[in-house]
Amino acid sequence: MPASYAYLGPEGTFTEVALRTLPEAATRELIPYVSVQSALDAVRAGEAEAAFVPIENSVEGGITTTLDELVAGTPLTIYREVLLSITFALLVRPGTRLSEIKTVTAHPAAQPQVRNWLKKHLPDVVWESAASNADGARLVQEGRYDAAFAGEFAAARYGLEALETGIHDAENAQTRFVLVGRPARPAAPTGADKTSIVVWQRDDHPGGLRDLLGEFATRGVNLMLLQSRPTGAGIGNYCFCIDAEGHISDRRVAETLMGLKRVCLQVRFLGSYPRADVGPAEVREPLPGTSDDEFVSAADWVARCQDGRF
Amino acid sequence: MPASYAYLGPEGTFTEVALRTLPEAATRELIPYVSVQSALDAVRAGEAEAAFVPIENSVEGGITTTLDELVAGTPLTIYREVLLSITFALLVRPGTRLSEIKTVTAHPAAQPQVRNWLKKHLPDVVWESAASNADGARLVQEGRYDAAFAGEFAAARYGLEALETGIHDAENAQTRFVLVGRPARPAAPTGADKTSIVVWQRDDHPGGLRDLLGEFATRGVNLMLLQSRPTGAGIGNYCFCIDAEGHISDRRVAETLMGLKRVCLQVRFLGSYPRADVGPAEVREPLPGTSDDEFVSAADWVARCQDGRF
């Protein structure tokens, strides 16, 4: 297997910075791809060991391109997640003053995060979207635009200077990235894990989604993300991308997945992997009656009853 | 009040075509705005009577810009919805042949709907995003790109011809638009209505969302859309945009909203309005025990009991 990771490029984006926080990235060749789809296709085709792509951010919510790729097509698995705080710098050619900026560019996803700053400091500026924040910086270098919003780290690479740093409309602006590979046995639980799945409901009736979520609640499994995605079969037809606390080897998570498999039209397992937001020491205790030990002794008790040994 | 409707422009987009299907649009001045935000701000500022914007499509799901505007800021109300089937035409300057097309443009939302078509017919073409599909057509007219994906109706306006029509990757590709105004008494129920709300949960615990959805299920109210949107307070913090079957004057819907008001941190009512997907004759019967008559006689019975007349 090639020792390379594909990632959403180009170089000098937040994605690359996030990827380099993973220790295993140091021993791999990191190859930028032009889109989430092409990075994931490289994994599916066996050209890369894994792909690193954004999946959720705290301003825009789930990154739909990535979710839709994981929902459909050849199954892939999430191995790792990374959280990165996002603040923007306003990059200009050296010497440019704020009052000289007439045009500004960045990836469309940056716009909601800098909108208020722009309204206050550059109300009359013309915004043009770029293919990525790094690409926007390149276009400023080439003189096509006056300024670009990008990570401060992109300034040096493109011979620009940061006229302003720390720009973000929302406090706690974060993006969540995942390392995605071909299906394999999940890594052992760490004590602070997350399990991602996609579910398709069997039919549409009052209480259908409530019953589905009851599979989690009954076993004391907390939800961390519930994002509806259209199935493509017309308005109102959705499947659900769900992140739940815990690891598929936890009894309460395994039994929840079995319950969903029984009652849903289809369930796709996307992986169990370590949580990036907390360590094992910060994970809350399972609800009373939902620990592994309690699942095991309850199973033993039923077996004894079935055996006439109650 | 000014007799004008703001809409997401420019002229010649699917939004304008959808707006013109509303009978009331014929008696209003229709004014294009450059963004969803500016169209809604025109309503908030009293410059327009209402604004017409896309809110959901069957390929991309909820239109997050619109949802986020309805979730935050000064409250607005949905009065009407329109469903429009979306297929694209490939527009070129007259005489251009398919083999001559090197660059193509459209609004980014068009991309997932034409991706497979492009891969098959123009695999090497360069894609550049435009501010809108109509703006893309204008840029082709000016010679900046070779072709644009837009509605076939845009060809005449920009002096272009449709080299190909009926392009859509997903069958049943539809977009849902809403007419949004300042808060007012909802129109009377038609028998086939929809109610839109936003809910913020009080806290995060296993079963929290299941319990919230139980408010609907207990009263036999079906969900038509559940879309999570980040609250801006960091990864994992979401509110929910919910569309439910029925009208706020239906007893089962009113009692559901009261239940949510009691148990949620916050509930925002976005309106009750006629469904565009079905007429009254096609609406399913309420579940046994959830009709208005049954709610009324149950309330009477409790009142009699409280009164000692059981």
Side-chain angles (χ1 to χ4, degrees):
Chain A
M1 188 179 292
S4 73
Y5 286 168
Y7 70 96
L8 176 63
E11 299 174 54
T13 61
F14 288 110
T15 308
E16 187 192 347
V17 171
L19 173 53
R20 290 189 184 280
T21 66
L22 287 178
E24 55 265 50
T27 62
R28 264 76 171 188
E29 188 188 0
L30 308 182
I31 305 174
Y33 281 75
V34 296
S35 66
V36 167
Q37 195 182 19
S38 58
L40 295 177
D41 280 349
V43 177
R44 289 182 168 129
E47 290 159 21
E49 181 185 349
F52 191 78
V53 294
I55 194 167
E56 183 184 4
N57 85 53
S58 56
V59 176
E60 282 297 281
I63 313 272
T64 56
T65 329
T66 303
L67 293 175
D68 290 351
E69 280 292 323
L70 296 178
V71 163
T74 314
L76 292 167
T77 296
I78 302 173
Y79 294 145
R80 293 290 298 260
E81 68 170 8
V82 173
L83 283 178
L84 190 75
S85 291
I86 306 286
T87 67
F88 289 91
L90 185 69
L91 304 185
V92 297
R93 288 180 296 280
T96 308
R97 279 173 303 177
L98 193 63
S99 58
E100 295 168 342
I101 297 174
K102 304 279 174 263
T103 56
V104 67
T105 189
H107 187 265
Q111 199 172 15
Q113 302 188 43
V114 302
R115 193 184 283 150
N116 291 335
W117 188 93
L118 271 181
K119 206 183 258 182
K120 187 167 170 195
H121 296 95
L122 291 169
D124 300 320
V125 84
V126 175
W127 170 284
E128 296 252 8
S129 292
S132 70
N133 294 321
D135 205 50
R138 188 181 57 76
L139 293 170
V140 172
Q141 183 185 34
E142 291 176 3
R144 190 147 151 209
Y145 301 110
D146 299 328
F149 288 103
E152 196 179 349
F153 47 81
R157 193 184 297 257
Y158 294 99
L160 302 176
E161 65 178 31
L163 203 55
E164 186 88 32
T165 60
I167 300 171
H168 54 93
D169 277 8
E171 291 297 328
N172 309 314
Q174 287 186 311
T175 296
R176 187 179 147 230
F177 300 85
V178 287
L179 185 69
V180 175
R182 285 179 291 279
R185 189 186 184 82
T190 65
D193 302 283
K194 182 186 279 190
T195 293
S196 296
I197 59 172
V198 189
V199 296
W200 287 259
Q201 287 182 271
R202 213 181 273 282
D203 60 1
D204 183 36
H205 63 277
L209 184 58
R210 192 265 319 248
D211 295 346
L212 187 160
L213 298 183
E215 299 289 337
F216 295 88
T218 301
R219 283 102 183 179
V221 176
N222 198 34
L223 298 188
M224 309 186 72
L225 174 73
L226 178 88
Q227 171 97 36
S228 55
R229 292 303 306 147
T231 62
I235 290 276
N237 288 280
Y238 285 92
C239 60
F240 293 94
C241 298
I242 295 175
D243 288 350
E245 275 182 19
H247 192 281
I248 192 171
S249 69
D250 295 336
R251 292 297 191 107
R252 61 186 175 282
V253 175
E255 195 180 286
T256 300
L257 296 191
M258 287 187 283
L260 293 170
K261 188 72 186 170
R262 282 187 283 105
V263 304
C264 292
L265 185 65
Q266 193 187 339
V267 185
R268 178 177 274 206
F269 175 63
L270 293 180
S272 288
Y273 49 92
R275 286 171 63 177
D277 58 333
V278 296
E282 296 152 273
V283 171
R284 61 182 136 196
E285 287 291 306
L287 286 185
T290 67
S291 70
D292 270 13
D293 285 350
E294 287 161 312
F295 267 92
V296 170
S297 59
D300 288 347
W301 173 75
V302 170
R304 285 199 310 275
C305 292
Q306 291 169 332
D307 211 29
R309 297 182 290 117
F310 35 88
Chain B
M1 185 178 298
S4 73
Y5 286 167
Y7 70 96
L8 176 64
E11 300 173 54
T13 61
F14 288 109
T15 308
E16 187 193 346
V17 172
L19 173 54
R20 290 188 184 280
T21 66
L22 286 178
E24 55 266 49
T27 62
R28 264 75 171 189
E29 188 189 358
L30 309 182
I31 305 174
Y33 280 75
V34 296
S35 65
V36 167
Q37 196 183 19
S38 59
L40 296 177
D41 280 350
V43 177
R44 289 182 168 127
E47 290 159 21
E49 181 185 350
F52 191 77
V53 293
I55 193 167
E56 182 183 3
N57 85 53
S58 56
V59 175
E60 282 296 280
I63 313 274
T64 58
T65 328
T66 303
L67 293 175
D68 290 350
E69 280 291 324
L70 296 177
V71 163
T74 313
L76 292 167
T77 296
I78 301 173
Y79 294 147
R80 292 290 299 262
E81 68 171 8
V82 172
L83 282 178
L84 189 74
S85 290
I86 306 285
T87 66
F88 289 91
L90 185 69
L91 304 185
V92 296
R93 290 179 296 280
T96 308
R97 279 173 302 177
L98 193 62
S99 58
E100 295 168 342
I101 298 174
K102 305 281 174 260
T103 57
V104 67
T105 189
H107 187 266
Q111 200 173 14
Q113 301 189 43
V114 302
R115 193 185 283 151
N116 291 336
W117 188 92
L118 271 181
K119 204 183 261 183
K120 185 167 172 196
H121 297 94
L122 290 168
D124 299 319
V125 83
V126 175
W127 171 283
E128 296 252 6
S129 291
S132 70
N133 294 322
D135 205 51
R138 187 182 56 77
L139 293 171
V140 171
Q141 182 184 33
E142 290 176 4
R144 192 150 148 208
Y145 301 109
D146 299 327
F149 288 103
E152 195 177 350
F153 47 82
R157 193 184 298 255
Y158 294 99
L160 302 177
E161 67 178 30
L163 203 55
E164 186 87 33
T165 61
I167 301 171
H168 54 91
D169 277 9
E171 291 298 328
N172 309 314
Q174 288 186 310
T175 296
R176 187 180 146 230
F177 300 86
V178 287
L179 185 69
V180 174
R182 284 179 292 280
R185 189 186 185 81
T190 65
D193 302 283
K194 181 186 282 191
T195 294
S196 297
I197 58 171
V198 189
V199 296
W200 288 259
Q201 286 182 273
R202 213 182 273 282
D203 60 359
D204 183 37
H205 62 277
L209 184 59
R210 192 265 319 248
D211 294 346
L212 188 159
L213 297 183
E215 300 288 337
F216 295 88
T218 301
R219 283 98 182 180
V221 175
N222 198 33
L223 298 188
M224 308 187 72
L225 174 73
L226 176 88
Q227 171 98 35
S228 54
R229 292 302 306 147
T231 62
I235 290 275
N237 288 280
Y238 285 93
C239 60
F240 294 94
C241 298
I242 294 175
D243 288 350
E245 275 182 20
H247 191 281
I248 191 172
S249 69
D250 295 336
R251 293 297 190 106
R252 60 185 176 283
V253 175
E255 195 181 286
T256 300
L257 296 190
M258 287 189 280
L260 293 170
K261 188 72 184 168
R262 284 187 281 104
V263 303
C264 293
L265 184 65
Q266 195 189 337
V267 186
R268 178 177 274 206
F269 175 64
L270 293 179
S272 287
Y273 48 92
R275 286 171 62 175
D277 57 333
V278 297
E282 297 151 272
V283 171
R284 60 182 135 194
E285 287 292 308
L287 286 185
T290 67
S291 71
D292 270 12
D293 284 349
E294 287 161 310
F295 267 92
V296 169
S297 60
D300 287 348
W301 174 74
V302 169
R304 284 199 310 277
C305 292
Q306 290 168 332
D307 212 29
R309 297 183 290 116
F310 36 87

